Amino acid sequence: MPVYPSVGDATIQLGLYSTADQKRLVLNGQDMGQRAYKVAKFQLLPQTENVFTVFKDGWHAAEAAEHNPSVEWQWTKREATLAFKNPKKDSIFYLDADNPGSVFQQTQQVKVTLGGLQLDQFPITPKQQVLRKIPVSAAQLGTNDMVELQISVDKTFVPALIPAANSKDPRELGIRVFHAFVQPK
């Protein structure tokens, strides 16, 4: 692993050499090129100093991918609040989110605010996962022991109200959040 912190998708590849002629052996598996085979794929998450995060108002229960239960997310509503212990120093807020774009094909504008101050605003385009690294200064965090950060979207949808969704899901859905972390610098 590199010395600097990495965040995102990672793949482990393996290749075996023959002791007789030092050539790579052919194996069963997904060949990634040069007889290197994919062994595992996973997500590297930001390292934290145990900044405890609470998903407060505006969140739906956690869900997992049907064919890969290690992939989890939570949907927001139009507005969602995260509370966390104030690290009282400059930090980075990591927000890993998407709009899966199955039936809701509109780009959404996302705002991240802290105490009424806008920290970031960005679009989420359907079918494109976004990892935002949002700097938050110690001054913006203030002096309280707990801090509340808001995530809001300009457009939401209700799957049950979209005929093409063929769904009975009555929830108001904003964006799908895979990870939300605060990492002190």
Side-chain angles (χ1 to χ4, degrees), residues 3-172:
V3 175
Y4 58 89
S6 298
V7 176
D9 291 335
T11 303
I12 296 177
Q13 297 177 11
L14 173 76
L16 298 178
Y17 289 90
S18 165
T19 56
D21 60 12
Q22 300 300 309
K23 291 186 180 177
R24 283 223 172 151
L25 301 173
V26 177
L27 303 173
N28 286 333
Q30 183 180 355
D31 189 341
M32 303 301 287
Q34 300 179 345
R35 294 190 178 157
Y37 298 88
K38 185 163 124 179
V39 176
K41 184 176 178 181
F42 54 93
Q43 282 216 327
L44 293 171
L45 304 177
Q47 295 178 0
T48 65
E49 292 181 12
N50 295 325
V51 175
F52 182 66
T53 305
V54 177
F55 290 74
K56 287 185 74 174
D57 302 325
W59 295 92
H60 293 288
E63 300 177 50
E66 185 178 327
H67 301 294
N68 186 355
S70 66
V71 176
E72 293 184 348
W73 62 84
Q74 282 186 258
W75 282 96
T76 68
K77 296 179 183 177
R78 183 172 299 277
E79 294 183 2
T81 302
L82 282 171
F84 55 92
K85 185 177 179 209
N86 189 347
K88 298 185 180 177
K89 58 182 173 177
D90 292 349
S91 301
I92 297 186
F93 172 57
Y94 289 89
L95 180 63
D96 181 11
D98 81 349
N99 165 350
S102 55
V103 293
F104 184 68
Q105 294 292 327
Q106 297 179 25
T107 297
Q108 297 165 288
Q109 288 296 318
V110 179
K111 283 186 188 177
V112 178
T113 58
L114 178 69
L117 174 69
Q118 183 174 304
L119 300 177
D120 196 12
Q121 180 174 346
F122 57 94
I124 289 191
T125 303
K127 299 181 183 176
Q128 291 187 357
Q129 192 167 341
V130 174
L131 175 62
R132 297 296 287 194
K133 300 174 186 176
I134 304 167
V136 186
S137 70
Q140 290 170 321
L141 291 168
T143 58
N144 291 340
D145 289 335
M146 292 296 289
V147 176
E148 289 191 357
L149 183 140
Q150 286 74 36
I151 300 168
S152 60
V153 295
D154 66 336
K155 297 178 189 104
T156 61
F157 68 103
V158 177
L161 298 179
I162 300 175
N166 195 24
S167 173
K168 294 181 181 179
D169 185 350
R171 300 177 299 165
E172 174 193 41

